[in-house]
Amino acid sequence: MKPNLMHLGNIMKEFKRTEQQTRILEGMEKVHERLITFKKRVNSELVVMRDNKIVRIKPE
């Protein structure tokens, strides 16, 4: 499962991105991928917010 980081990307498409903004978004994507990989490796739940509720998700 992937949080809606693309939403941030879509918002940013309305404006011209600076190199720094692009690098920040790319870094956020890497962090997300590494977090999912880590959670799968240690078989730990991922805690996210959906519809203003805190939800625990088992990694698949």
Side-chain angles (χ1 to χ4, degrees):
M1 190 195 98
K2 193 168 193 172
N4 197 359
L5 292 179
M6 295 310 296
H7 175 70
L8 294 174
N10 290 338
I11 290 171
M12 294 302 294
K13 284 182 184 177
E14 296 176 19
F15 305 99
K16 184 175 179 182
R17 286 187 196 156
T18 65
E19 182 180 342
Q20 183 178 19
Q21 290 169 327
T22 301
R23 292 179 68 196
I24 289 170
L25 288 173
E26 289 170 354
M28 289 173 63
E29 288 178 21
K30 281 185 182 181
V31 167
H32 175 259
E33 291 170 8
R34 291 176 182 170
L35 174 65
I36 298 298
T37 301
F38 172 76
K39 291 292 190 174
K40 286 180 180 180
R41 189 175 69 238
V42 297
N43 196 30
S44 177
E45 293 179 329
L46 184 63
V47 180
V48 297
M49 183 174 274
R50 275 196 190 152
D51 299 323
N52 293 324
K53 294 182 181 179
I54 296 174
V55 179
R56 294 177 181 269
I57 302 172
K58 289 199 173 217
E60 298 175 359

